[in-house]
Amino acid sequence: MDQTVKSRIEIIQGDITKQSPDAIVNAANCSLLGGGGVDGAIHRAAGPELLEECRTLGGCKTGQAKITKGYKLPAKFVIHTPGPVWHGGKQNEEALLNSCYVSCLTLASENGCKTVDFPSISTGVYHFPLDKAAKIAISAIAGYMSRHPEIERVRMVCFDARTKEYYENALENLK
Ligand code: AR6
């Protein structure tokens, strides 16, 4: 992989609701009406107007994405994507997770976003194995960025040190 693409990807540890890129991504569910984990944290920090806008969206299919404003968040937009629930790997989970990252970045490009922060989609209550998820995420992001120079920087905002380690390794080993 082109080193200049690699240098546009960053891995940090932190709380995604405190970040101020053009868009943050929400690891949502298909209802788009909120939940626990990062989804709950984003809705709490954005305030009730986020849920109001989400109610107008009619849900979202797994692997696809929808965009809203960020309301009280420092980020301008929230891109909501339901990741796949891990069922052992035979239900198209890997392709669906790849599609989450590509769909989010496509919406970011269409809405003029230059900087996007992702959480580790599907690796919490959806139980996607972290090693596989990190490789899929980094390869989807790098592939998209190599074709889309308008996306200047993408960060993985990892909530804990273990998650951060997996994404760092995936970025280092990116072919
Ligand atoms: N900032 C960054 N990462 C976070 C934060 C935060 N504030 N809070 C949690 N994480 P999960 P999923 C990490 O379970 O597996 C919701 O109920 C967390 O440590 O939030 O895609 C939705 O409504 C983990 O590494 O998302 C869905 O029903 C990662 O975010 C379901 O959970 C993802 O964990 C989606 O499950």
Side-chain angles (χ1 to χ4, degrees):
M1 179 55 66
D2 185 344
Q3 287 304 315
T4 61
V5 170
K6 261 193 182 180
S7 71
R8 287 154 60 207
I9 303 174
E10 293 171 20
I11 318 291
I12 65 162
Q13 189 176 341
D15 177 346
I16 202 164
T17 67
K18 305 275 195 275
Q19 314 302 321
S20 43
D22 295 325
I24 64 168
V25 171
N26 181 16
N29 58 62
C30 292
S31 77
L32 299 185
L33 298 180
V38 70
D39 193 3
I42 287 172
H43 275 274
R44 275 194 299 279
E49 284 173 302
L50 178 61
L51 182 57
E52 263 174 51
E53 185 176 355
C54 284
R55 283 191 205 285
T56 69
L57 299 177
C60 184
K61 289 187 181 147
T62 302
Q64 299 186 4
K66 293 200 177 171
I67 192 164
T68 64
K69 290 188 274 186
Y71 300 98
K72 290 187 182 142
L73 289 162
K76 188 167 176 210
F77 296 103
V78 180
I79 300 174
H80 307 261
T81 187
V85 178
W86 182 258
H87 290 294
K90 294 199 173 129
Q91 295 188 30
N92 211 26
E93 293 97 322
E94 300 199 12
L96 287 167
L97 186 63
N98 179 79
S99 170
C100 286
Y101 285 91
V102 174
S103 301
C104 288
L105 290 169
T106 303
L107 268 182
S109 291
E110 287 168 1
N111 287 275
C113 300
K114 295 179 172 154
T115 54
V116 183
D117 286 4
F118 282 93
S120 176
I121 299 166
S122 283
T123 67
V125 302
Y126 281 0
H127 291 300
F128 205 108
L130 192 48
D131 56 341
K132 284 190 177 49
K135 284 181 199 152
I136 291 165
I138 294 296
S139 129
I141 292 167
Y144 186 90
M145 291 180 90
S146 68
R147 301 185 300 275
H148 292 272
E150 75 277 11
I151 303 288
E152 291 172 2
R153 186 200 71 197
V154 171
R155 300 192 308 179
M156 289 300 313
V157 180
C158 304
F159 210 40
D160 56 86
R162 178 171 171 266
T163 301
K164 180 170 175 257
E165 237 171 72
Y166 276 90
Y167 283 88
E168 279 172 343
N169 284 339
L171 183 58
E172 259 168 48
N173 296 323
L174 183 68
K175 301 229 170 58

